[in-house]
Amino acid sequence: MAKILFTDLDDTLLTSEKTVCQENKEAIQKLLAQGHKIVLTSGRSLPSVRRQAEHLNLTFEGCYLICYNGGEIYDVFREKTLYRNGISFDILRKAFQIADSMHIHIQTYDNTYVYCHREDEEIQRYCQEMDCEYQVVPDVFSTLTLEPSKAFASSWERPAALEELRHALEQEIGAFIDVFYSSPYFLEIVPKGINKGSAVQRLCSLLQIPLENTVATGDAMNDIQMIETAHVGVAMKNATEDVKAAADYITSADNNHGGVAEAISKFILGKD
Protein backbone atom coordinates (compact mmCIF):
# COMPACT_ATOMS: atom_id res chain seq x y z
CA MET A 1 0.00 0.00 0.00
CA ALA A 2 1.18 3.54 -0.74
CA LYS A 3 3.10 5.38 1.94
CA ILE A 4 2.71 9.07 2.58
CA LEU A 5 5.47 11.53 3.45
CA PHE A 6 4.66 14.66 5.47
CA THR A 7 7.57 17.07 5.24
CA ASP A 8 8.12 20.47 6.75
CA LEU A 9 9.56 23.11 4.41
CA ASP A 10 11.86 25.63 6.09
CA ASP A 11 15.11 24.11 7.36
CA THR A 12 13.83 20.63 6.50
CA LEU A 13 13.05 20.16 2.80
CA LEU A 14 14.41 23.61 1.97
CA THR A 15 18.04 24.58 2.39
CA SER A 16 19.13 27.61 4.37
CA GLU A 17 18.99 29.48 1.04
CA LYS A 18 15.31 28.46 0.56
CA THR A 19 16.10 26.12 -2.32
CA VAL A 20 15.79 22.33 -2.63
CA CYS A 21 19.00 20.34 -2.99
CA GLN A 22 19.39 17.84 -5.82
CA GLU A 23 19.32 14.82 -3.47
CA ASN A 24 15.89 15.80 -2.17
CA LYS A 25 14.54 16.47 -5.67
CA GLU A 26 15.64 13.08 -6.94
CA ALA A 27 14.29 11.22 -3.91
CA ILE A 28 10.89 12.91 -4.25
CA GLN A 29 10.73 11.95 -7.93
CA LYS A 30 11.43 8.31 -7.03
CA LEU A 31 8.83 8.42 -4.26
CA LEU A 32 6.11 9.62 -6.63
CA ALA A 33 7.18 7.24 -9.40
CA GLN A 34 6.57 4.33 -7.03
CA GLY A 35 3.03 5.52 -6.27
CA HIS A 36 3.64 7.04 -2.86
CA LYS A 37 2.24 10.43 -1.77
CA ILE A 38 3.81 13.63 -0.49
CA VAL A 39 2.41 16.41 1.67
CA LEU A 40 4.25 19.73 2.04
CA THR A 41 3.44 20.58 5.65
CA SER A 42 4.11 24.10 6.83
CA GLY A 43 3.09 27.03 8.96
CA ARG A 44 3.25 29.14 5.81
CA SER A 45 0.19 30.48 4.02
CA LEU A 46 -1.50 28.54 1.22
CA PRO A 47 -0.16 30.81 -1.57
CA SER A 48 3.40 30.43 -0.29
CA VAL A 49 3.24 26.62 0.06
CA ARG A 50 1.47 26.29 -3.27
CA ARG A 51 4.31 28.19 -4.95
CA GLN A 52 6.79 25.77 -3.44
CA ALA A 53 4.75 22.86 -4.82
CA GLU A 54 4.81 24.45 -8.27
CA HIS A 55 8.59 25.06 -8.07
CA LEU A 56 9.03 21.35 -7.29
CA ASN A 57 6.50 20.30 -9.94
CA LEU A 58 4.41 18.63 -7.22
CA THR A 59 1.08 19.19 -8.93
CA PHE A 60 0.16 15.60 -9.75
CA GLU A 61 -2.24 13.12 -8.21
CA GLY A 62 -0.94 12.29 -4.74
CA CYS A 63 0.44 15.75 -3.92
CA TYR A 64 -1.13 17.63 -1.01
CA LEU A 65 -0.45 20.67 1.16
CA ILE A 66 -0.96 21.34 4.84
CA CYS A 67 -0.79 25.08 5.53
CA TYR A 68 -1.13 27.38 8.55
CA ASN A 69 0.23 24.64 10.84
CA GLY A 70 -2.75 22.40 10.08
CA GLY A 71 -5.45 25.02 9.62
CA GLU A 72 -5.97 24.14 5.96
CA ILE A 73 -5.48 20.96 3.91
CA TYR A 74 -5.31 21.35 0.14
CA ASP A 75 -5.35 18.91 -2.79
CA VAL A 76 -2.88 20.37 -5.32
CA PHE A 77 -3.96 18.18 -8.24
CA ARG A 78 -7.67 19.01 -7.86
CA GLU A 79 -7.02 22.60 -6.68
CA LYS A 80 -9.44 21.98 -3.84
CA THR A 81 -9.47 22.70 -0.11
CA LEU A 82 -10.24 19.50 1.78
CA TYR A 83 -10.38 21.02 5.27
CA ARG A 84 -10.24 24.48 6.82
CA ASN A 85 -10.54 25.90 10.33
CA GLY A 86 -10.38 29.52 11.46
CA ILE A 87 -9.95 31.79 14.47
CA SER A 88 -13.09 33.78 15.27
CA PHE A 89 -12.84 37.51 14.57
CA ASP A 90 -13.56 38.34 18.23
CA ILE A 91 -10.66 36.21 19.44
CA LEU A 92 -8.38 37.44 16.67
CA ARG A 93 -9.17 41.07 17.53
CA LYS A 94 -8.24 40.38 21.14
CA ALA A 95 -4.94 38.80 20.06
CA PHE A 96 -4.11 41.89 17.99
CA GLN A 97 -4.96 44.18 20.91
CA ILE A 98 -2.69 42.26 23.26
CA ALA A 99 0.23 42.23 20.81
CA ASP A 100 -0.24 45.93 20.01
CA SER A 101 -0.21 46.81 23.70
CA MET A 102 3.18 45.10 23.96
CA HIS A 103 4.49 46.74 20.75
CA ILE A 104 4.98 43.36 19.06
CA HIS A 105 4.32 42.83 15.36
CA ILE A 106 1.28 40.67 14.58
CA GLN A 107 -0.24 39.63 11.25
CA THR A 108 -2.87 37.35 9.79
CA TYR A 109 -3.77 35.85 6.43
CA ASP A 110 -6.23 35.01 3.74
CA ASN A 111 -5.43 32.87 0.70
CA THR A 112 -4.05 35.85 -1.20
CA TYR A 113 -2.21 38.18 1.19
CA VAL A 114 -0.64 38.58 4.59
CA TYR A 115 -2.36 41.44 6.46
CA CYS A 116 -1.13 43.78 9.17
CA HIS A 117 -2.00 47.30 10.18
CA ARG A 118 1.48 48.77 10.37
CA GLU A 119 4.37 48.87 7.91
CA ASP A 120 7.56 47.69 9.58
CA GLU A 121 10.70 45.62 9.03
CA GLU A 122 9.03 42.53 10.47
CA ILE A 123 6.43 42.24 7.69
CA GLN A 124 8.95 43.13 4.98
CA ARG A 125 11.46 40.54 6.15
CA TYR A 126 8.85 37.84 6.65
CA CYS A 127 7.31 38.19 3.20
CA GLN A 128 10.67 38.31 1.49
CA GLU A 129 11.76 35.08 3.18
CA MET A 130 8.41 33.28 2.76
CA ASP A 131 7.80 34.39 -0.84
CA CYS A 132 4.41 35.98 -0.22
CA GLU A 133 2.70 39.34 -0.63
CA TYR A 134 1.32 41.60 2.06
CA GLN A 135 -1.08 44.48 2.51
CA VAL A 136 -1.09 47.09 5.23
CA VAL A 137 -4.70 48.01 6.02
CA PRO A 138 -6.20 50.25 8.73
CA ASP A 139 -8.69 47.60 9.82
CA VAL A 140 -7.65 44.00 9.24
CA PHE A 141 -10.97 42.64 10.45
CA SER A 142 -13.16 44.52 7.99
CA THR A 143 -10.84 43.45 5.14
CA LEU A 144 -11.07 39.70 5.77
CA THR A 145 -14.07 37.79 4.43
CA LEU A 146 -13.32 34.47 6.17
CA GLU A 147 -12.05 33.74 9.65
CA PRO A 148 -8.28 33.23 9.15
CA SER A 149 -6.62 29.92 9.89
CA LYS A 150 -3.85 31.53 11.91
CA ALA A 151 -2.25 34.68 13.21
CA PHE A 152 1.46 35.17 13.67
CA ALA A 153 3.65 37.37 15.86
CA SER A 154 7.34 37.99 15.31
CA SER A 155 10.21 39.89 16.89
CA TRP A 156 13.68 39.65 15.41
CA GLU A 157 15.09 42.30 17.73
CA ARG A 158 13.27 41.32 20.96
CA PRO A 159 12.64 37.57 20.83
CA ALA A 160 12.28 37.43 24.63
CA ALA A 161 9.19 39.64 24.28
CA LEU A 162 7.45 36.81 22.45
CA GLU A 163 7.47 34.72 25.62
CA GLU A 164 5.67 37.54 27.43
CA LEU A 165 3.17 37.67 24.59
CA ARG A 166 2.68 33.90 24.63
CA HIS A 167 1.92 34.01 28.35
CA ALA A 168 -0.51 36.92 27.93
CA LEU A 169 -2.36 35.25 25.06
CA GLU A 170 -2.71 32.00 26.98
CA GLN A 171 -3.99 33.86 30.04
CA GLU A 172 -6.54 35.93 28.12
CA ILE A 173 -7.76 33.70 25.27
CA GLY A 174 -6.04 30.37 25.79
CA ALA A 175 -9.37 28.54 25.88
CA PHE A 176 -9.86 29.34 22.19
CA ILE A 177 -6.34 29.20 20.69
CA ASP A 178 -3.08 27.30 20.82
CA VAL A 179 0.16 29.29 20.83
CA PHE A 180 3.58 27.83 20.03
CA TYR A 181 6.93 28.68 18.48
CA SER A 182 8.05 27.82 14.97
CA SER A 183 11.41 29.51 15.58
CA PRO A 184 12.86 31.63 18.41
CA TYR A 185 11.54 34.69 16.54
CA PHE A 186 8.13 33.39 15.38
CA LEU A 187 5.03 32.76 17.50
CA GLU A 188 2.16 30.87 15.87
CA ILE A 189 -1.47 31.45 16.92
CA VAL A 190 -4.00 28.88 15.69
CA PRO A 191 -7.48 27.59 16.61
CA LYS A 192 -7.59 25.30 19.64
CA GLY A 193 -6.53 21.75 18.77
CA ILE A 194 -5.01 22.66 15.41
CA ASN A 195 -1.46 21.53 14.71
CA LYS A 196 0.49 19.55 12.13
CA GLY A 197 -0.17 16.32 14.00
CA SER A 198 -3.94 16.70 13.93
CA ALA A 199 -3.68 17.52 10.21
CA VAL A 200 -1.73 14.29 9.59
CA GLN A 201 -4.52 12.30 11.23
CA ARG A 202 -7.22 14.22 9.36
CA LEU A 203 -5.69 13.80 5.89
CA CYS A 204 -4.93 10.11 6.46
CA SER A 205 -8.57 9.61 7.45
CA LEU A 206 -9.78 11.43 4.33
CA LEU A 207 -7.49 9.36 2.10
CA GLN A 208 -8.12 6.14 4.04
CA ILE A 209 -4.39 5.64 4.59
CA PRO A 210 -3.43 3.98 7.90
CA LEU A 211 -1.05 5.87 10.16
CA GLU A 212 1.25 2.84 9.92
CA ASN A 213 2.07 4.05 6.40
CA THR A 214 3.14 7.57 7.40
CA VAL A 215 6.57 9.18 7.64
CA ALA A 216 7.14 12.76 8.83
CA THR A 217 10.24 14.95 8.65
CA GLY A 218 10.82 18.19 10.53
CA ASP A 219 13.20 20.39 12.50
CA ALA A 220 11.30 22.89 14.68
CA MET A 221 8.96 23.03 17.66
CA ASN A 222 5.84 23.20 15.50
CA ASP A 223 6.85 19.88 13.92
CA ILE A 224 6.81 17.88 17.15
CA GLN A 225 3.12 16.84 17.04
CA MET A 226 3.55 15.75 13.42
CA ILE A 227 6.67 13.73 14.25
CA GLU A 228 4.94 12.11 17.21
CA THR A 229 1.78 11.33 15.22
CA ALA A 230 3.43 9.72 12.20
CA HIS A 231 4.42 6.07 12.35
CA VAL A 232 8.02 7.11 11.71
CA GLY A 233 9.01 10.56 12.91
CA VAL A 234 12.29 11.87 11.51
CA ALA A 235 14.25 14.85 12.83
CA MET A 236 16.79 16.60 10.67
CA LYS A 237 20.39 16.69 11.87
CA ASN A 238 19.88 20.44 12.30
CA ALA A 239 16.66 20.06 14.33
CA THR A 240 16.22 21.46 17.82
CA GLU A 241 16.96 19.13 20.72
CA ASP A 242 13.25 18.90 21.63
CA VAL A 243 12.44 17.71 18.11
CA LYS A 244 15.26 15.16 18.17
CA ALA A 245 13.96 13.83 21.50
CA ALA A 246 10.49 13.32 19.96
CA ALA A 247 11.77 11.58 16.81
CA ASP A 248 12.24 7.90 16.01
CA TYR A 249 15.24 8.68 13.80
CA ILE A 250 17.69 11.55 13.37
CA THR A 251 19.26 12.01 9.94
CA SER A 252 23.01 12.05 9.48
CA ALA A 253 22.54 14.75 6.80
CA ASP A 254 21.14 18.20 7.51
CA ASN A 255 18.63 20.19 5.46
CA ASN A 256 21.38 21.49 3.18
CA HIS A 257 22.64 18.03 2.26
CA GLY A 258 19.61 15.81 1.64
CA GLY A 259 18.23 14.99 5.07
CA VAL A 260 14.76 14.42 3.61
CA ALA A 261 16.23 12.22 0.87
CA GLU A 262 17.86 10.12 3.58
CA ALA A 263 14.47 9.64 5.27
CA ILE A 264 12.75 8.80 1.97
CA SER A 265 15.42 6.24 1.06
CA LYS A 266 15.40 4.55 4.45
CA PHE A 267 11.71 4.52 5.33
CA ILE A 268 9.78 4.73 2.04
CA LEU A 269 11.96 3.40 -0.78
CA GLY A 270 13.42 0.76 1.53
CA LYS A 271 17.08 1.48 0.90
CA ASP A 272 19.67 1.95 3.60
Side-chain angles (χ1 to χ4, degrees), residues 8 15 24 31 40 109-110 128 146 168 182 202 209 220 246-247 269:
D8 173 56
T15 68
N24 285 348
L31 176 151
L40 302 184
Y109 307 76
D110 65 11
Q128 181 179 13
L146 291 175
S182 54
R202 187 166 282 112
I209 293 176
L269 303 180

Side-chain angles (χ1 to χ4, degrees), residues 16-262:
S16 301
E17 302 300 320
K18 306 300 182 185
T19 62
V20 180
C21 67
Q22 191 61 32
E23 296 98 321
N24 285 348
K25 288 181 180 179
E26 291 176 0
I28 289 171
Q29 290 172 355
K30 292 177 183 177
L31 176 151
L32 292 172
Q34 290 190 13
H36 303 295
K37 303 179 188 300
I38 186 168
V39 188
L40 302 184
T41 308
S42 178
R44 292 188 185 203
S45 66
L46 177 58
S48 178
V49 184
R50 192 163 50 194
R51 274 193 286 274
Q52 289 296 330
E54 291 167 355
H55 293 332
L56 286 166
N57 200 27
L58 298 180
T59 56
F60 304 105
E61 179 79 53
C63 299
Y64 300 88
L65 312 178
I66 291 174
C67 317
Y68 308 114
N69 285 303
E72 186 159 355
I73 301 174
Y74 187 81
D75 183 331
V76 184
F77 177 66
R78 293 173 180 81
E79 299 183 347
K80 178 182 178 182
T81 293
L82 304 179
Y83 170 83
R84 189 182 184 282
N85 197 348
I87 305 171
S88 76
F89 287 133
D90 288 343
I91 298 302
L92 185 68
R93 190 183 301 274
K94 183 65 175 176
F96 267 66
Q97 290 170 348
I98 294 169
D100 285 343
S101 72
M102 301 174 72
H103 306 289
I104 296 174
H105 172 82
I106 188 168
Q107 63 194 45
T108 192
Y109 307 76
D110 65 11
N111 283 344
T112 305
Y113 297 109
V114 182
Y115 293 98
C116 62
H117 51 213
R118 188 166 48 247
E119 181 85 33
D120 57 26
E121 291 184 7
E122 298 284 345
I123 188 67
Q124 295 167 358
R125 184 170 182 174
Y126 175 87
C127 289
Q128 181 179 13
E129 289 200 5
M130 300 301 172
D131 188 23
C132 54
E133 299 179 68
Y134 70 93
Q135 288 194 353
V136 178
V137 294
D139 184 0
V140 168
F141 310 100
S142 64
T143 303
L144 297 169
T145 58
L146 291 175
E147 294 177 342
S149 294
K150 84 164 190 174
F152 173 93
S154 64
S155 183
W156 291 97
E157 299 299 325
R158 297 187 301 130
L162 291 178
E163 184 60 18
E164 298 177 26
L165 175 60
R166 185 190 67 80
H167 180 73
L169 291 170
E170 289 181 344
Q171 287 283 340
E172 295 286 333
I173 52 177
F176 307 98
I177 60 168
D178 284 328
V179 188
F180 48 84
Y181 291 95
S182 54
S183 91
Y185 314 100
F186 296 163
L187 196 64
E188 310 280 337
I189 305 162
V190 299
K192 197 72 175 177
I194 292 298
N195 55 64
K196 292 183 180 182
S198 64
V200 167
Q201 292 178 315
R202 187 166 282 112
L203 181 56
C204 285
S205 178
L206 290 170
L207 299 178
Q208 298 184 322
I209 293 176
L211 284 175
E212 288 76 11
N213 287 29
T214 60
V215 177
T217 60
D219 74 289
M221 291 292 290
N222 63 325
D223 297 320
I224 288 178
Q225 292 97 332
M226 174 176 71
I227 282 173
E228 292 177 335
T229 300
H231 182 63
V232 179
V234 178
M236 295 295 101
K237 180 181 180 180
N238 54 286
T240 66
E241 292 305 313
D242 287 342
V243 175
K244 290 178 179 178
D248 302 300
Y249 178 80
I250 301 168
T251 61
S252 57
D254 63 15
N255 63 303
N256 293 318
H257 301 92
V260 170
E262 180 180 334

